[in-house]
Amino acid sequence: MIAQLPTSPKRWLTRPFPDSAEQQVAIESLTQLLGVSSVLAALLVQRGVHTYEEARTFFRPEMGHLHNPFDMKDMDRAIERLQKAIQSEEKILIYGDYDVDGTTSVALVYGFLKNYHAAIDYYIPDRYKEGYGISRQGIEWAAENGFSLIIALDCGVKSVERVAEAKSLGVDFIICDHHRPGSELPDASAVLDPKRDDCRYPYKELSGCGVGFKLLQAFCAQAEIAVERLHPYLDLVAVSIASDIVPLTGENRVLAYYGLKYLNAAPRVGLKALIKVAGFSRELDITNLVFGLGPRINAAGRIQHAKAAVQLLLAESEEEADEFAMAINKHNNSRREFDSTMTEQALDMIRQSEVLTKAKSTVLFDASWHKGVIGIVASRCIEHFHRPTIILTQSNDKAAGSARSVPGFDVYEAIEECADLLEQFGGHTFAAGMTMPVSNIDAFRRKFEEVVSSRIKEEHLTPLIDIDLDLDFSDISDKLVRIVKQMGPFGPHNMQPVFKTEDVYMVGEPIIMKEKHLKMSVRQGRTGHTLTAIGFGFAHIAHQLRSGKPFSICYQVEQNFFNGNVSLQLMLKDVKYS
């Protein structure tokens, strides 16, 4: 019998150990050929790595592993239209969404193409005045200023009406998107989206910036430009991949791997300034991008206008970059204040309503909430009430909402079932946005709850910890940590390994840090060497650990750098009594 210590209740799900005859042969082969432990070999087999060649590809991604960009539907049409615009000296407008994926996409495509075409500019819609996607205001501005081609990035695949309006004004579109298309595609010169039903491109999970990169990769091939000139822009692609939470597999893994190399060795001055204000001093990884750089870039569009983020990413002097970075950091601090206050208000609304507390979904509305942080607040609410969540506020006399989901539940499909109550919606499996008349909110809340209740499984309503392997403390070594680190970059579908160890005892007294966190020495069984374990937010269980009873832990193993010394430590994910 395992009883959970009083942290938030979580399900532990250990992945099946690769123990079939074929898998065992692969483990033995990798152990010998790579000179690694059977634990590490088992981790690789779990991730689909069975041979030496597969291991070499996994540990050493190469740009040559990227697919031919012309395998993407409409790529030939996109390049034909782009080259026609360049040869005819047409004015080209690079149009992107206001989030991290959109702003990095614009900085990538505009920053690269301006080296080969002078008549080019960029446009970011105002989050509050224009909203998500292709706006009428943006199209009219393009037409009034003589632009005849718009390259839309991270948006546009559902903008059928807007693209038709643009065409009537003499403005063509090349759409580079990665969101799910609707039943009808826009009448554009080209629609690049690997999620198109008729697109046979081998990799479907590119970020919007990744689709923009493929456009430029094809442009380089057709224009006989050395593709290596495009590689320094990979730092932008890595930031987009991390911040848009796309799978770290296939092409995304290759692009993120090399993007991180550029980011750590020679980042563009704008990102260098952002790294400085974020306070990072060691080598950056995907987590640093997700929680350090991404929110700061996003903050510009959330609090004022996302054009400031693009200006930072395109900055050419350190002085200019430092100025933009400081301003964006101030926006981020304001964003934190907004999201902290709104989160408390949202949680109070749930706690004070028996109906909302017992529901299988959360849909909340407050006309005063800041539109720029409703997605963050939705994520924060899920940390306390683990279920699909939509936070709505009033914007331009409409209700604008941001949805977040829980692992295993497709919130986009649930919202699609409520489309009759919506004016616009779009997104992914785990995140989406929508607008609706304010008068529809109550009906939407009821219908969304009905849809979620009919589809969601009870297990999805409890936070899940995926565990890779059971591990004995005797198997933990510097070599294990070094090689595990080389399995990165980590992210969705290639997460940092989580281990489970049973029969663990606390040794000595725990240390409480900042009244919230726990540091303790642990060992497996009554004998053996001790390891240091850190639990963020675990201070409240210290008194129960003093009982002397054995417990089980799940954790990640990391290196701790302190005063020039490096040691191993366990980063706790959860604790249960054995």
Side-chain angles (χ1 to χ4, degrees):
M1 182 73 178
I2 291 183
Q4 196 134 20
L5 289 169
T7 58
S8 59
K10 296 181 177 72
R11 287 186 298 130
W12 292 16
L13 182 63
T14 303
R15 297 177 68 178
F17 186 83
D19 57 2
S20 70
E22 181 183 350
Q23 290 171 326
Q24 284 296 304
V25 169
I27 290 173
E28 290 175 12
S29 174
L30 290 173
T31 299
Q32 293 175 2
L33 293 173
L34 301 179
V36 299
S37 68
S38 58
V39 170
L40 285 164
L43 281 174
L44 290 171
V45 172
Q46 280 184 331
R47 282 163 164 73
V49 177
H50 295 83
T51 67
Y52 178 82
E53 285 301 316
E54 289 172 346
R56 187 171 68 175
T57 299
F58 182 76
F59 282 114
R60 299 289 180 267
E62 297 176 9
M63 292 299 290
H65 295 157
L66 297 179
H67 302 300
N68 183 343
F70 287 98
D71 289 343
M72 192 176 294
K73 181 74 173 179
D74 275 7
M75 185 62 80
D76 53 345
R77 295 176 59 185
I79 296 304
E80 182 181 347
R81 183 64 186 90
L82 176 58
Q83 287 194 316
K84 176 179 178 291
I86 292 173
Q87 290 164 3
S88 304
E89 297 184 354
E90 296 177 52
K91 292 182 73 174
I92 302 173
L93 186 66
I94 310 302
Y95 187 112
D97 189 25
Y98 41 66
D99 67 0
V100 180
D101 196 13
T103 51
T104 52
S105 297
V106 169
L108 164 72
V109 177
Y110 172 82
F112 188 76
L113 286 182
K114 72 182 179 69
N115 297 311
Y116 305 96
H117 187 63
I120 189 168
D121 204 348
Y122 62 89
Y123 187 97
I124 306 288
D126 186 286
R127 179 188 286 264
Y128 307 108
K129 296 176 182 176
E130 299 171 72
Y132 169 77
I134 310 298
S135 71
R136 178 175 284 116
Q137 184 176 327
I139 290 169
E140 290 174 350
W141 186 89
E144 289 167 4
N145 287 276
F147 291 92
S148 53
L149 175 63
I150 296 177
I151 300 177
L153 298 154
D154 191 36
C155 60
V157 76
K158 296 179 76 173
S159 300
V160 176
E161 291 182 16
R162 293 288 178 266
V163 171
E165 289 173 16
K167 195 166 187 176
S168 71
L169 295 172
V171 180
D172 291 338
F173 264 89
I174 293 172
I175 291 170
C176 301
D177 206 346
H178 68 130
H179 297 96
R180 296 185 194 180
S183 56
E184 181 184 358
L185 292 175
D187 183 19
S189 296
V191 178
L192 304 177
D193 188 335
K195 290 189 176 72
R196 284 178 58 167
D197 289 338
D198 59 349
C199 180
R200 296 182 180 179
Y201 193 71
Y203 190 68
K204 303 293 185 181
E205 302 301 333
L206 292 167
S207 65
C209 191
V211 178
F213 182 87
K214 300 305 293 188
L215 174 70
L216 295 181
Q217 189 184 5
F219 172 71
C220 287
Q222 197 72 11
E224 298 183 348
I225 298 167
V227 75
E228 288 77 16
R229 292 188 182 182
L230 186 55
H231 292 176
Y233 294 83
L234 285 168
D235 55 358
L236 295 168
V237 184
V239 173
S240 86
I241 287 169
S243 301
D244 224 50
I245 321 295
V246 292
L248 258 297
T249 57
E251 283 194 307
N252 283 342
R253 179 175 167 80
V254 177
L255 295 169
Y257 178 87
Y258 283 97
L260 282 169
K261 281 187 176 295
Y262 278 100
L263 202 51
N264 284 304
R268 65 191 53 250
V269 292
L271 288 176
K272 185 178 180 181
L274 210 55
I275 291 166
K276 185 164 63 176
V277 297
F280 293 126
S281 56
R282 289 198 294 271
E283 186 175 279
L284 299 178
D285 58 20
I286 292 293
T287 300
N288 300 139
L289 307 191
V290 173
F291 296 105
L293 302 193
R296 286 174 168 81
I297 295 171
N298 251 335
R302 294 186 191 281
I303 307 304
Q304 288 194 341
H305 198 288
K307 193 165 187 176
V310 180
Q311 290 169 326
L312 169 69
L313 297 174
L314 292 172
E316 295 183 354
S317 72
E318 290 194 8
E319 184 180 3
E320 179 188 18
D322 287 342
E323 186 178 331
F324 279 124
M326 290 296 290
I328 282 176
N329 203 47
K330 286 180 182 178
H331 295 329
N332 190 53
N333 292 336
S334 299
R335 186 271 305 169
R336 285 176 174 171
E337 292 175 12
F338 280 127
D339 89 56
S340 177
T341 302
M342 285 169 51
T343 298
E344 282 307 312
Q345 292 171 345
L347 292 174
D348 284 344
M349 290 170 70
I350 300 171
R351 291 170 182 141
Q352 291 169 14
S353 167
E354 185 177 355
V355 172
L356 288 175
T357 302
K358 294 181 177 179
K360 299 291 176 70
S361 68
T362 298
V363 179
L364 304 175
F365 170 76
D366 188 310
S368 68
W369 282 342
H370 197 291
K371 185 182 176 185
V373 296
I374 54 177
I376 296 172
V377 173
S379 297
R380 297 272 190 267
C381 287
I382 288 175
E383 293 173 6
H384 298 267
F385 295 89
H386 193 77
R387 59 206 190 189
T389 297
I390 297 175
I391 302 296
L392 296 155
T393 188
Q394 192 158 323
S395 176
N396 298 328
D397 298 322
K398 305 289 184 183
S402 192
R404 297 293 183 269
S405 195
V406 295
F409 187 81
D410 192 324
V411 74
Y412 179 90
E413 289 186 353
I415 292 169
E416 198 170 32
E417 289 293 309
C418 309
D420 59 308
L421 297 168
L422 303 175
E423 291 188 354
Q424 185 181 6
F425 70 97
H428 306 290
T429 301
F430 298 121
M434 73 219 68
T435 57
M436 71 185 84
V438 174
S439 58
N440 284 5
I441 292 173
D442 287 339
F444 174 82
R445 182 186 287 116
R446 289 192 296 271
K447 187 167 184 179
F448 185 71
E449 172 67 14
E450 288 172 9
V451 173
V452 173
S453 297
S454 68
R455 295 184 177 192
I456 200 164
K457 297 178 181 177
E458 199 63 33
E459 64 197 45
H460 296 152
L461 299 171
T462 303
L464 173 67
I465 297 178
D466 283 309
I467 297 168
D468 292 86
L469 289 173
D470 288 341
L471 189 67
D472 289 334
F473 280 1
S474 58
D475 289 321
I476 297 175
S477 65
D478 290 320
K479 183 176 181 179
L480 177 117
V481 177
R482 280 198 313 273
I483 296 178
V484 163
K485 186 178 180 181
Q486 291 176 37
M487 294 171 69
F490 296 117
H493 300 280
N494 186 48
M495 299 298 287
Q496 183 176 346
V498 174
F499 302 106
K500 180 183 77 176
T501 302
E502 298 178 343
D503 195 29
V504 176
Y505 292 82
M506 183 171 70
V507 179
E509 279 293 302
I511 298 171
I512 306 301
M513 303 181 294
K514 297 183 178 179
E515 300 181 355
K516 294 188 294 184
H517 313 307
L518 177 71
K519 181 178 182 180
M520 61 179 173
S521 295
V522 292
R523 71 172 171 231
Q524 187 178 15
R526 293 292 186 181
T527 60
H529 66 289
T530 62
L531 292 166
T532 298
I534 305 289
F536 289 107
F538 281 76
H540 62 287
I541 69 170
H543 67 287
Q544 289 201 278
L545 295 174
R546 290 189 178 99
S547 68
K549 295 178 182 178
F551 49 90
S552 299
I553 59 174
C554 59
Y555 56 92
Q556 294 169 328
V557 188
E558 295 185 357
Q559 290 177 314
N560 177 44
F561 300 87
F562 185 71
N563 285 344
N565 298 315
V566 182
S567 60
L568 300 183
Q569 64 183 17
L570 313 182
M571 305 304 295
L572 297 178
K573 307 286 285 183
D574 203 13
V575 180
K576 292 183 181 182
Y577 279 127
S578 300

